[in-house]
Amino acid sequence: MDDVAFKLSLKLRIDWSEMDTYQHVNNVNFMKYMQSARVQFWEVTGLAQLYSETKKGPMLVSTQCDFKHPLFFPGDVIIKTRVAFLKNSSFGLQHRLYNDTGKLCAEGHDVAVCFDFNTDKTFGITDQLRQIMMQY
């Protein structure tokens, strides 16, 4: 897939503390980078605000990361994110993580469900929210 379809981009500085004994970024940090991108998506779509106002919002149910190339300090990681799918109450995000030179270092996938924390049940994605999410 062409990266043009990835409309969200987040650049994060790699910290020395994220290195492991092999002198590259520890794999667990890739998941943290994807979490930052996921939270960015929640913020730009209004999902974070929806939760703060109603206690209804996204809940991560699955995440996966395929490692392609190591990341190193010093440097940056660029995470590109797009909506992979929208269903009735769930949605998926696809992430691509790049180093400073533009080399693909990892691909990740998240599945989240819209969850009402007041009733402990899922809720359907509204038409308005669906339209906003489809922009990404």
Side-chain angles (χ1 to χ4, degrees):
M1 165 160 306
D2 187 4
D3 278 350
V4 175
F6 289 75
K7 295 183 181 170
L8 284 178
S9 183
L10 181 64
K11 184 176 183 177
L12 300 173
R13 179 182 160 273
I14 295 171
D15 191 78
W16 181 84
S17 68
E18 297 170 343
M19 304 296 280
D20 62 16
T21 57
Y22 300 120
Q23 298 304 303
H24 58 65
V25 172
N26 187 289
N27 293 351
V28 73
N29 289 295
F30 283 71
M31 304 305 275
K32 290 168 70 177
Y33 301 149
M34 289 178 9
Q35 178 184 33
S36 293
R38 187 168 53 248
V39 169
Q40 178 193 37
F41 176 79
W42 293 351
E43 289 173 346
V44 300
T45 58
L47 284 166
Q49 182 177 352
L50 177 67
Y51 175 77
S52 69
E53 293 174 355
T54 66
K55 300 297 183 234
K56 295 167 77 173
M59 179 193 299
L60 184 68
V61 295
S62 175
T63 188
Q64 166 194 340
C65 187
D66 295 321
F67 305 101
K68 309 288 186 187
H69 185 76
L71 287 167
F72 297 97
F73 172 86
D76 296 311
V77 58
I78 297 92
I79 309 105
K80 296 188 177 188
T81 301
R82 74 173 191 95
V83 172
F85 67 83
L86 287 170
K87 293 187 178 178
N88 182 44
S89 62
S90 66
F91 61 93
L93 298 177
Q94 181 182 6
H95 307 284
R96 287 187 177 170
L97 291 78
Y98 296 90
N99 67 12
D100 288 305
T101 66
K103 184 169 187 124
L104 179 65
C105 295
E107 289 185 280
H109 302 275
D110 297 329
V111 177
V113 65
C114 290
F115 195 77
D116 185 335
F117 293 85
N118 302 296
T119 63
D120 287 335
K121 295 182 181 179
T122 61
F123 68 91
I125 299 170
T126 64
D127 290 340
Q128 179 184 9
L129 181 55
R130 185 176 301 275
Q131 291 298 321
I132 294 168
M133 293 170 78
M134 287 174 46
Q135 295 175 35
Y136 301 99

